[in-house]
Amino acid sequence: MPATAYSLPSTHELSLDTDDAALADFSIALIGLLDGMRLVREGWSQFYKTPIEPGKLVDFACGESEMARAVDMATHHWRALDKDCQKWMFGAIHWYCFTAAYEHHFERLGGLCSVLDTLYRVHVKKGGKPAANHATLAVVLAEAHQVPVPDWAQVHTVNNKDVSRLSTLRNEFFYEGRYEGEPIGFALPEENITLDLEAFVTRVMLAMLSIKCAYVRTVATTQQKHGLDLL
């Protein structure tokens, strides 16, 4: 039987110029994301599986020379947010890394859709353009932050309703107990939409954190590693 919670040895020590616990939590989660791992405070638990080597959770590589600059950009942006947005951005990174521990594609898709919803909350709270409906949410975020829009996020009209491939899968999963048109666990999408969505979400997150890099302008459907390439 797998353990429901477990701890791992501490690997890093964080030094800040403040005793702001929320900033410490955010910084740890952010460094983990940039390293492609799930990093947590000493004393916190891991659930399910978790990578113990860098680069497993993201499709970009952030070198040591870029890490300090990327963290500085993101924490500077985070400090300027209100308390709600600060919590939401930490939650988005935390839940993105946590979702990778899930075993099944439909579980990860559900978690990633929650992350996307959280990022949208931040977007709207900061005065960003609202989405007309859930089908247009991913497009609104992509266009606001100059991230290429994947085909599965493109909106079209069916029976006078806006739909996308992603919104159809999401709504079936959350509201109908279905995945790819069948009861959950009985079918899978033909395309690699979960992997694509992971890549899309990381691009939106980094763009929303003001990490200026060429990576966020790359296509999320290539299934390959990219350099972060800070600008």
Side-chain angles (χ1 to χ4, degrees), residues 91-92 95-96 99-100 102 105-121 134-135 137-138 141 152-153 164-175 178-179 193-194 196-202 204:
W95 196 237
Y96 173 88
T99 295
Y102 287 132
H105 281 242
F106 56 82
E107 294 175 308
R108 298 208 301 276
L109 181 123
L112 291 166
C113 285
S114 295
V115 173
L116 209 59
D117 288 347
T118 303
L119 295 173
Y120 176 71
R121 289 289 300 274
H134 213 286
L137 187 151
L141 285 176
W152 42 257
S164 69
R165 175 71 169 135
L166 176 61
S167 69
T168 299
L169 284 171
R170 176 196 183 277
N171 291 340
E172 285 183 351
F173 178 75
F174 281 120
Y175 303 123
R178 294 194 298 161
Y179 191 57
I193 193 165
T194 305
D196 291 350
L197 184 55
E198 288 175 352
F200 177 73
V201 165
T202 56
V204 174

Side-chain angles (χ1 to χ4, degrees), residues 131-144:
N133 46 54
H134 213 286
T136 61
L137 187 151
V139 174
V140 165
L141 285 176
E143 291 179 346

Side-chain angles (χ1 to χ4, degrees), residues 33 58-60 96 198-207 215:
L33 177 70
V58 295
D59 69 334
F60 64 84
Y96 173 88
E198 288 175 352
F200 177 73
V201 165
T202 56
R203 284 160 174 77
V204 174
M205 276 198 295
L206 297 193
Y215 163 74

